[in-house]
Amino acid sequence: MQNLRFDNRFVGQLPADPESGPRPRQVRDALYSRIVPTPVSAPRLIAHSREVAALLGIEETSVASPVFAHIFAGNTLLDGMQPYAANYGGHQFGHWAGQLGDGRAITLGETINAVGQRWELQLKGAGPTPYSRRADGRAVLRSSVREFLCSEAMFHLGVPTTRALSLVATGEQVMRDMFYDGHPKAEPGAIVCRVAPSFIRFGNFELPAARGDIALLQQLIDFTIRRDFPELHADGHDTINEKRRAEWFAQVCERTASMVAHWMRVGFVHGVMNTDNMSVLGLTIDYGPYGWIDNFDWDWTPNTTDAEGRRYRFGNQPEIAYWNLTCFANALAPAFTSLEPLHAGLQRYVDVYGAAERGNTAAKLGLAESSDEHRGLMQSLYALLQKAEVDMTLFFRALVDVDVHAPTLLPFYHAFYDEAKREQHEPEFHAWLARYATQVRHEDLPPAERHAHMQAVNPRYVIRNYLAQQAIDRAEQGDDAGIHELLDVLRRPYDDQPGREQYAQRRPDWARHRAGCSMLSCSS
Ligand code: AMP
Ligand code: MG
C-alpha cells in the first residue's frame, strides 16, 4: 500500500477551516475542515472488494496484512494522506437544513491509480468531526454491511454508484436507538472505506450560496469542473466561462437522469434523497435506509422516518431528482448572468429521463424500439403487478422465457405473493400476456437476441432487504461468511448461477414486517 500515490487537489486548492479538531461549529469561508480519524481498539477486516482493490492497485497480499485493517479503520495514515471532513448543507425532506457536512465521513485523500484515474478514499464511521453536531461520528455494523454490499451490487448491475473497498469491524460498541422510541442499545461498530472520483454533492454548493458567499461558490464550481469534468475543457482553455458552467450543469442533470432511470429499472429505492445525498457526478451516494422492491409498489418506501409523507417512495424518485436539481440550480444562479442556461439544463433532465425511461421499457420488455404503444403496455403491466402483488425482479426475469406463441401465467406463479390475488387477476394477466406476445411476434426480433437483451437489463439477483439482513444477523454473531457469499452472488447479477437459487427467491413471509427487511430507520 506504500505504493499508493496521493494528489490531494481538494485540500490543495480550496480554502480550509483554520481550526482543527472536532469541536462542533459553524464553519464559514471554508469548504472543509482538517480532521483525523479517531483510532479504534481492535480493527478487523470483515470483507473487501477485490475489484476495488485492483482498481486502486492494492495487491491481495496487502489486503491480507494486518496493516490494511489498521489503515482502513483510520488508525494509521499513509504518507500523502491529508484527512478532512467536507462542509456542505442540504435540503432535507423538502426543507433547507443549513450546515450539515461530513458528520462521520472523513476523506483520507485522492489517490491516482496506474492509469491516471483519481479516486477519493473516504472512511464512513471514523469518529467525530466539526459537523457531527451531537452525534458520535460512528456507524453500526448493520448499516455498514448494507452500504458495503449494496454499493458493490449496484456497480455490478451497471448502476452509477460510489464503490466500497473495505468493511472493517472496530471492536467497539456504538449506542443506537434504532426506532427512536427510547430504547437505545449497544451495537457493534464498523467502518466502510468508500471510493469515488469525488464525493461532492449538491449541498456543497448550496451552503456557500445560502450564506451569500458567491466567491466561494464560484471557486467550488470552477474547481469541480476542472477536476471532475475534464472533458468539458478538453480544448486546452483553462478559463471556465459561463458557457462551460452551463454545459457542466446540463451534464449533472443528464447524469442524474440516467442514474434515476437505472434505479427504476432495477427496483432500487434510495430512501433519503436529500440534496446533501445527491452526487454532482450522478453517482448513487450515501446508502442509508435504502431498499429494494419485492412486490411491485410505486408507493413503497423503506424509510420509517418518511413513512408519513412518503416523499421518497419508489415512484416519486424521478420527480424528486428534478426537485433536487432545481435546488441545485437555485444555488448556482448567482454564478450566472442569466437563468436561461439553468432552465435549459433542467429541461435536459426531463428529456434524458424521458428517453431513458422509454429505453428501459423497450429493454425490459425485449422490444426493438420504444413506441407509445409499448409505453402503454408497460404502464398497464406495472398497474397489474401492483394490484396483484407480484415480485418485480422475478416477474421480469420470467418474462424472458415466455412462450410468445402460447403464453400462460404458469411460469410466473412463483412471483406472486398472494394466491387469492393471483386467482382474482389471472384473466387480466392472460390478456396482458396475449397483448405482449402479439407485439413481440410483430417485431420479429430473433429470439436469441431478445433473450440476450432482456437478460442484460432484468437482473436475476438483487440485494433483497431480507438477504442483506440475514448476512447482518450472521455477522453480528461473528460469522462473516454470509457477507462473502452474498457479495459473490451479486458480482454476476444477470447470470443464472446454478446452486444459488436461494438468492433469487421471493421475500419470505417472516420478512414482510421485520425491521431491516421491509422497514429501516435513519439510525445507523
Ligand atoms: P444522512 O441522512 O445519513 O445523509 O446524514 C445527514 C447528516 O447527519 C450528515 O451531515 C451526516 O454526516 C450526519 N450524521 C448522520 N449520522 C451521524 C453520526 N452517527 N455521527 C455524526 N454525524 C452523523
Ligand atoms: Mg448523507
Side-chain angles (χ1 to χ4, degrees):
M1 261 133 356
Q2 294 304 335
N3 62 344
L4 286 184
R5 189 160 67 80
F6 289 93
D7 172 41
N8 304 319
R9 275 171 64 179
F10 195 88
V11 295
Q13 298 183 355
L14 295 171
D17 172 9
E19 181 176 337
S20 58
R23 185 185 70 85
R25 55 189 182 266
Q26 290 291 310
V27 175
R28 292 173 197 280
D29 311 317
L31 292 165
Y32 64 94
S33 303
R34 295 183 193 274
I35 184 80
V36 288
T38 305
V40 297
S41 57
R44 184 180 66 82
L45 182 67
I46 298 174
H48 79 287
S49 159
R50 60 169 187 253
E51 292 85 359
V52 177
L55 196 62
L56 300 174
I58 301 175
E59 309 264 354
E60 285 296 305
T61 48
S62 306
V63 174
S65 78
V67 188
F68 183 88
H70 277 264
I71 294 169
F72 295 105
N75 285 14
T76 311
L77 290 178
L78 288 172
D79 286 347
M81 285 179 171
Q82 292 175 291
Y84 73 92
N87 187 14
Y88 53 80
H91 279 83
Q92 298 190 314
F93 298 97
H95 304 282
W96 175 242
Q99 177 184 301
L100 297 165
D102 284 332
R104 54 165 163 183
I106 296 180
T107 289
L108 296 173
E110 301 164 34
T111 181
I112 310 291
N113 71 5
V115 292
Q117 295 168 331
R118 177 177 304 271
W119 293 103
E120 181 173 336
L121 309 180
Q122 184 178 80
L123 301 183
K124 183 164 173 182
T129 78
Y131 310 100
S132 301
R133 290 166 282 169
R134 282 191 306 274
D136 58 7
R138 292 296 184 192
V140 290
L141 178 64
R142 60 184 155 82
S143 62
S144 306
V145 170
R146 284 167 47 83
E147 172 140 16
F148 174 80
L149 285 176
C150 193
S151 56
E152 287 303 286
M154 292 282 265
F155 169 76
H156 294 295
L157 282 164
V159 183
T161 180
T162 61
R163 305 290 304 270
L165 169 66
S166 55
L167 170 64
V168 175
T170 59
E172 296 177 359
Q173 301 284 97
V174 178
M175 290 302 286
R176 286 290 181 274
D177 186 356
M178 202 202 295
F179 287 106
Y180 307 110
D181 60 359
H183 296 97
K185 107 177 194 263
E187 297 189 47
I191 297 174
V192 171
C193 178
R194 314 197 283 194
V195 177
S198 160
F199 286 91
I200 297 178
R201 305 137 191 271
F202 295 0
N204 295 68
F205 302 86
E206 288 180 276
L207 186 60
R211 287 172 169 169
D213 193 344
I214 308 310
L216 195 60
L217 171 70
Q218 307 240 25
Q219 202 179 349
L220 182 62
I221 295 172
D222 293 359
F223 172 85
T224 304
I225 296 174
R226 283 207 180 88
R227 192 192 65 172
D228 298 333
F229 291 79
E231 68 281 5
L232 292 183
H233 57 101
D235 52 6
H237 289 289
D238 208 35
T239 49
I240 309 272
N241 55 23
E242 196 162 325
K243 182 163 166 281
R244 252 170 251 275
R245 290 177 180 179
E247 282 166 23
W248 168 67
F249 177 67
Q251 260 291 314
V252 178
C253 291
E254 218 174 296
R255 291 189 194 195
T256 304
S258 157
M259 170 187 79
V260 176
H262 278 290
W263 292 357
M264 303 310 285
R265 168 176 69 83
V266 298
F268 174 79
V269 189
H270 183 284
V272 206
M273 291 177 72
N274 293 331
T275 56
D276 53 305
N277 292 337
M278 298 290 293
S279 138
V280 284
L281 291 186
L283 304 172
T284 313
I285 192 175
D286 273 12
Y287 291 85
Y290 68 82
W292 289 79
I293 293 289
D294 291 309
N295 53 301
F296 187 89
D297 186 355
W298 289 126
D299 298 325
W300 185 69
T301 174
N303 185 355
T304 52
T305 315
D306 190 27
E308 195 85 2
R310 295 183 179 263
R311 179 179 173 84
Y312 299 140
R313 63 190 182 271
F314 179 52
N316 214 28
Q317 297 187 121
E319 289 260 341
I320 290 292
Y322 183 86
W323 191 90
N324 288 343
L325 284 164
T326 60
C327 290
F328 185 40
N330 282 332
L332 301 180
F336 286 83
T337 51
S338 137
L339 296 183
E340 197 279 324
L342 295 169
H343 287 301
L346 291 171
Q347 186 55 41
R348 182 89 67 94
Y349 174 87
V350 175
D351 296 343
V352 172
Y353 185 78
E357 191 193 28
R358 285 190 296 280
N360 276 350
T361 295
K364 284 186 82 69
L365 295 177
L367 299 168
E369 19 115 25
S370 106
S371 62
D372 287 347
E373 163 71 20
H374 296 165
R375 216 160 165 238
L377 195 65
M378 191 61 134
Q379 274 160 359
S380 39
L381 175 60
Y382 283 146
L384 260 180
L385 295 179
Q386 174 140 4
K387 68 180 174 186
E389 259 184 68
V390 185
D391 191 89
M392 177 182 181
T393 305
L394 293 176
F395 186 91
F396 280 100
R397 193 69 185 197
L399 195 60
V400 177
D401 297 314
V402 78
D403 177 357
V404 295
H405 299 286
T408 73
L409 197 58
L410 203 63
F412 297 90
Y413 275 13
H414 66 292
F416 285 79
Y417 281 91
D418 181 321
E419 214 172 313
K421 286 192 179 164
R422 190 200 77 220
E423 282 169 12
Q424 186 193 345
H425 297 290
E426 193 145 348
E428 291 164 87
F429 273 100
H430 278 138
W432 187 88
L433 284 169
R435 210 175 130 199
Y436 172 66
T438 310
Q439 277 300 325
V440 174
R441 291 197 310 268
H442 177 72
E443 290 202 348
D444 215 17
L445 199 68
E449 212 172 292
R450 187 179 134 257
H451 283 193
H453 276 166
M454 290 178 83
Q455 280 191 5
V457 295
N458 293 310
R460 165 79 72 201
Y461 302 96
V462 294
I463 176 171
R464 290 176 187 271
N465 314 308
Y466 88 90
L467 290 174
Q469 188 57 42
Q470 286 179 323
I472 291 165
D473 289 343
R474 284 172 70 180
E476 287 181 343
Q477 300 305 312
D479 171 12
D480 302 335
I483 297 172
H484 302 150
E485 276 165 36
L486 200 47
L487 176 63
D488 201 49
V489 170
L490 298 169
R491 280 197 168 98
R492 293 182 293 121
Y494 299 104
D495 292 355
D496 294 322
Q497 301 180 37
R500 285 173 158 177
E501 290 75 14
Q502 78 269 28
Y503 291 102
Q505 307 281 326
R506 219 165 52 205
R507 174 200 59 224
D509 282 342
W510 61 259
R512 196 176 177 108
H513 298 296
R514 209 198 123 179
C517 298
S518 58
M519 46 177 183
L520 291 131
S521 77
C522 284
S523 159
S524 58

